[in-house]
Amino acid sequence: MTKNMNRFMAAVCALAVLSTPAAHVYAKAAGEPYENYNYDNWGEAIPSQGGFVADRTVSGYDLGIGAFDEPSDIFCDHDHIFYIADTGNDRVIAANSRLDEVVRVYDEFTMPDGSGTKLNKPMGVYVSSEKGLIYIADTNNSRVLVSDMDGNVQCEITKPDSEVYDQKKTFLPQRVIADKAGNVYVVLGNITTGAAMFAPDGEFMGFYGANRVEPTAEIISNYFRSIFMSEEKKAQRTRTVPSGITSFDIDGDFVYTCTSSSTQSTDTVKKLNAAGKNIFADMELHFGDYKPVYDTSQNKMYSAAIVDIDIAEDGCINCLDFTTGRVFQYDEDCNLLFITGAIAEQTGGFDHVAALESLDNDLYVLDSSKDTVTVFRETSFGRTVHKAAALHNEGRYEEALGPWEEVLKRDGNYRRAYIGVALALLRKGDYEGSMKYAKLADDGKIYNKAFEGYRRQFLKEHFTAIAAVAAIAAAALTAFGIYRKKRRTAGNNEKKGEEQS
């Protein structure tokens, strides 16, 4: 009854502050074109404090190089240099950490034979700290350039001459990353079988991390019908293929991928190990807004379309949603931390989000229509949350207790903090307190662990009393049994005496 009442009150509060039917927005911060919100235990949008605030936008004019033209990607290297794939201008811009000065413009490279070559609509850029190389997805030249930082090409990756690669399809690289060993992963715009993987020397190694097919009712029905089809009909049947990978990022030994398909709910975001296994596969996760967005002007429902993913230095997972123009930030365990941004004209709002990057705890979002980079600075509330989350991720749950409690003082609806406090109290052995906060967070796993600890602790503390009560009960049962046996024997003897007389 209490839970239903809580849900009802949450729904009433949400309806009272909802400003537009499509936005789920609340608690607007000063100067922001969007309002800050989060989600409660039941998936309802609720007011929340913001973790980021839009600081400024940066254009090509601000950098003194003329306007950007449909920029597609942004990357920050180990030296805190930003690289922007300025697609329409056929160049890659390198700027300093403050994004107020250009370090270098990459628009022409030197091939191994000494000849020059230019970019043609580059859509992706990555810099390897281990190899000291820059990787560029040179889309309209159908290649990936691997160059040193002075523009000398070390390797040119082109369409694989392999039976595994469909030779009817062109080679259209859109995103590129490389691992510590120098293996190169490429997202191709017309390939749905995963990212193309190449050895450091450019040799094709196959595909990596393909998405699964969404198990819809239609697909399941077609599968059973195919059992009874002839081979000829099977050959003529339209094949069901998964959605392709849209973008990715690499963090240590793991590759994180995302897909922008609004029709697919599985594999929206994946965490892949070296073998290509999705660590998130068996977890019930949701990325983006819980409910589809309704566009009144188009009379359509739009679901989340994650176009880019970034793994921050502290392990937070940042997902960029094209549909809403928002950044959804999660901790390492995929608990939602913050929602930032919107579709809007003001600073902090976007037309067509294309890519995002992080530096320290700040966010940088690229808009391919406005031709700008928006810089989001961490707020004091965001700093407290990130401190607590970082301690939690390091396994220092008790040290995270203070910051989590500070978060709850500032935002009593912040579910992630209840989880953090519950885990910290569980580690400290305060099982009753852990059960209380786990219940407030509606986290059954933590509650069950706390209850087990509470039960063990109770038995240990009251063992003597429990044992004494058990002994008394056993003695009482024994005595009662003896008494009943004597009564039964006496009754039987009395009955026999009456029969004999």
Side-chain angles (χ1 to χ4, degrees):
M1 182 70 180
T2 303
K3 191 170 185 179
N4 289 334
M5 181 60 71
N6 289 339
R7 290 189 180 185
F8 175 75
M9 292 305 296
V12 170
C13 292
L15 288 172
V17 296
L18 191 62
S19 60
T20 65
H24 307 301
V25 291
Y26 306 87
K28 180 178 285 189
E32 294 294 324
Y34 57 90
E35 297 175 337
N36 296 303
Y37 69 101
N38 210 302
Y39 286 96
D40 64 12
N41 310 337
W42 307 290
E44 295 294 336
I46 55 174
S48 180
Q49 291 206 37
F52 300 90
V53 61
D55 180 60
R56 61 193 174 101
T57 59
V58 179
S59 68
Y61 289 116
D62 295 324
L63 292 173
I65 54 171
F68 293 137
D69 186 2
E70 297 184 357
S72 300
D73 197 16
I74 182 171
F75 179 80
C76 185
D77 72 1
H78 54 288
D79 291 324
H80 296 175
I81 300 298
F82 283 96
Y83 295 81
I84 300 171
D86 190 6
T87 307
N89 288 321
D90 302 327
R91 61 186 181 179
V92 171
I93 305 299
N96 64 4
S97 60
R98 299 182 301 276
L99 281 179
D100 60 8
E101 182 181 350
V102 171
V103 176
R104 177 164 182 163
V105 176
Y106 292 91
D107 55 1
E108 188 168 356
F109 295 80
T110 302
M111 298 296 289
D113 62 3
S115 62
T117 184
K118 292 187 176 183
L119 300 176
N120 189 356
K121 301 297 183 289
M123 294 186 67
V125 60
Y126 178 83
V127 177
S128 169
S129 59
E130 292 82 12
K131 300 296 181 180
L133 298 172
I134 180 171
Y135 300 77
I136 300 175
D138 193 10
T139 307
N140 278 18
N141 277 331
S142 299
R143 65 181 179 179
V144 171
L145 282 185
V146 183
S147 165
D148 64 19
M149 304 312 294
D150 293 323
N152 299 304
V153 176
Q154 307 296 302
C155 177
E156 184 182 39
I157 298 174
T158 57
K159 180 179 177 178
D161 184 13
S162 169
E163 294 180 357
V164 179
Y165 189 93
D166 188 349
Q167 297 301 311
K168 296 179 181 179
K169 294 186 177 181
T170 54
F171 189 69
L172 295 174
Q174 295 185 340
R175 289 287 193 273
V176 59
I177 56 174
D179 60 23
K180 295 177 181 178
N183 297 312
V184 184
Y185 305 80
V186 183
V187 168
L188 301 170
N190 54 348
I191 298 294
T192 62
T193 50
M197 185 175 177
F198 298 86
D201 62 358
E203 181 182 356
F204 181 59
M205 300 171 64
F207 292 99
Y208 174 86
N211 290 332
R212 295 169 294 175
V213 175
E214 182 79 8
T216 62
E218 182 181 358
I219 291 174
I220 296 172
S221 175
N222 289 339
Y223 170 77
F224 283 107
R225 281 204 300 268
S226 69
I227 297 175
F228 306 100
M229 286 183 182
S230 64
E231 293 300 323
E232 183 179 353
K233 286 187 176 181
K234 286 183 180 179
Q236 296 175 351
R237 187 184 54 167
T238 302
R239 294 179 59 196
T240 301
V241 296
S243 299
I245 295 172
T246 302
S247 189
F248 48 19
D249 196 8
I250 191 166
D251 181 45
D253 296 326
F254 296 99
V255 173
Y256 293 75
T257 72
C258 66
T259 177
S260 62
S261 172
S262 60
T263 61
Q264 179 161 330
S265 59
T266 59
D267 294 345
T268 301
V269 172
K270 297 185 298 183
K271 179 181 180 180
L272 304 172
N273 60 17
K277 180 181 178 182
N278 182 15
I279 307 301
F280 294 159
D282 298 326
M283 301 170 64
E284 295 183 5
L285 302 175
H286 187 94
F287 297 92
D289 278 314
Y290 280 42
K291 298 177 181 178
V293 174
Y294 177 69
D295 187 344
T296 54
S297 63
Q298 299 292 326
N299 193 27
K300 289 183 179 180
M301 297 293 290
Y302 293 96
S303 299
I306 309 300
V307 293
D308 200 15
I309 186 169
D310 163 76
I311 310 304
E313 293 178 19
D314 60 2
C316 286
I317 304 169
N318 300 310
C319 297
L320 183 62
D321 179 22
F322 180 83
T323 303
T324 61
R326 294 173 183 150
V327 178
F328 292 82
Q329 185 179 75
Y330 305 85
D331 66 11
E332 287 186 350
D333 298 322
C334 297
N335 295 298
L336 179 62
L337 298 182
F338 297 112
I339 302 172
T340 304
I343 300 295
E345 292 301 319
Q346 305 98 309
T347 299
F350 305 99
D351 285 342
H352 292 83
V353 291
L356 85 159
E357 183 59 292
S358 60
L359 174 57
D360 297 327
N361 283 323
D362 297 332
L363 299 176
Y364 300 79
V365 180
L366 190 67
D367 190 314
S368 61
S369 179
K370 289 185 176 182
D371 298 329
T372 58
V373 178
T374 299
V375 182
F376 289 91
R377 300 298 184 194
E378 181 186 43
T379 64
S380 61
F381 181 72
R383 193 174 302 115
T384 305
V385 170
H386 289 142
K387 178 182 178 181
L391 290 169
H392 174 90
N393 292 338
E394 294 170 6
R396 298 155 64 184
Y397 302 120
E398 293 182 44
E399 292 181 51
L401 178 58
W404 282 134
E405 290 177 334
E406 177 62 26
V407 170
L408 287 177
K409 288 179 183 178
R410 299 178 63 177
D411 186 347
N413 291 325
Y414 201 79
R415 180 175 183 265
R416 180 63 186 88
Y418 286 107
I419 295 174
V421 172
L423 283 170
L425 295 178
L426 178 65
R427 180 61 65 91
K428 289 181 65 176
D430 183 357
Y431 300 115
E432 281 191 271
S434 180
M435 289 165 61
K436 171 187 172 183
Y437 280 91
K439 187 174 182 180
L440 289 170
D442 197 27
D443 194 308
K445 291 183 180 179
I446 299 177
Y447 185 90
N448 290 337
K449 289 181 180 179
F451 179 76
E452 289 175 7
Y454 174 76
R455 183 172 56 190
R456 288 195 305 269
Q457 187 180 63
F458 181 86
L459 292 174
K460 183 178 180 180
E461 292 176 353
H462 301 86
F463 178 77
T464 302
I466 293 172
V469 171
I472 294 172
L477 288 172
T478 301
F480 182 71
I482 293 172
Y483 171 76
R484 287 193 62 187
K485 185 177 181 180
K486 287 182 178 180
R487 286 286 306 270
R488 194 182 304 114
T489 301
N492 290 337
N493 291 336
E494 185 178 347
K495 187 176 180 180
K496 286 181 181 179
E498 291 177 354
E499 291 176 351
Q500 290 177 356
S501 61

